Amino acid sequence: MKSRRQAIQSAAALTLLPVVANAQEHHQAQAASGKPARPYKAKWATPAEMKLLGEVSEIIIPKTDTPGAADARVNEFIDYTLQSDRKRQAELRAGLRRIAKVKPAGRASWLSHAAEKPDTADGRFFTLIKDLTIDGYYQSQQGLAQELGWHGNTYLPEFKGCTHPEHQG
């Protein structure tokens, strides 16, 4: 049985090739050390919303033996990505207001319940924040290189193809 993180990795790997240019530009602003070149200035989210975006995204992709969403600064990715999408900003803000009323220790449970009801406002919020978190994480250096081991256009002197015996012929 796959863990939640393995399931997210599998889903992300299938959708990674068409990387969104402006989101990639945001992540490329990081210095080689992984620290931001300059402090990020939110485009539309308030400081309280940025903090809550960080906390919620970290619940979705927590730090384990690999970096978590907070390490990848997913809250900044979400803010940057939605800067001109007022409809999704409003949906996200409404969900953040609802989850902010929940004590931090109960937020993971709240998100789990929301995930079980995709046709409700809470369920739509969960889907939106989950999708944005996955997109942001797996477009970051932490998600792509550190977790998935992708290192870009790596030169291969030889490509042997599939090595499974049942596919040889």
Side-chain angles (χ1 to χ4, degrees):
M1 183 167 159
K2 283 187 176 183
S3 72
R4 178 178 64 166
R5 190 175 196 105
Q6 290 169 324
I8 290 172
Q9 286 174 339
S10 298
L14 293 174
T15 60
L16 268 179
L17 295 178
V19 175
V20 179
N22 68 349
Q24 191 175 34
E25 173 187 307
H26 164 70
H27 281 295
Q28 289 173 348
Q30 288 182 328
S33 67
K35 305 247 186 227
R38 58 187 176 275
Y40 180 78
K41 184 176 180 189
K43 309 296 181 206
W44 62 272
T46 67
E49 289 169 336
M50 288 295 289
K51 183 177 187 283
L52 195 51
L53 282 171
E55 292 171 6
V56 172
S57 64
E58 186 69 13
I59 292 169
I60 294 169
I61 301 180
K63 184 175 190 160
T64 58
D65 57 332
T66 58
D71 297 315
R73 299 178 9 245
V74 167
N75 61 334
E76 295 174 12
F77 168 88
I78 293 170
D79 176 73
Y80 188 89
T81 300
L82 297 187
Q83 63 185 309
S84 61
D85 190 338
R86 299 218 187 274
K87 182 180 178 197
R88 290 197 305 168
Q89 286 175 17
E91 189 174 344
L92 201 59
R93 275 195 162 119
L96 289 173
R97 281 193 299 271
R98 290 190 302 276
I99 199 168
K101 295 176 185 176
V102 178
K103 292 181 182 179
R107 289 181 181 157
S109 178
W110 187 93
L111 288 168
S112 292
H113 291 297
E116 295 169 0
K117 303 174 195 165
D119 294 329
T120 66
D122 290 345
R124 287 186 296 276
F125 165 74
F126 172 75
T127 298
L128 178 60
I129 191 92
K130 176 194 65 159
D131 290 349
L132 288 166
T133 297
I134 291 168
D135 288 350
Y137 184 76
Y138 287 106
Q139 288 184 44
S140 73
Q141 187 272 336
Q142 290 82 1
L144 274 174
Q146 288 180 262
E147 185 163 333
L148 295 179
W150 185 78
H151 297 289
N153 297 328
T154 305
Y155 172 75
L156 299 173
E158 178 182 12
F159 183 73
K160 296 180 182 179
C162 182
T163 58
H164 294 98
E166 65 270 19
H167 297 143
Q168 304 304 309

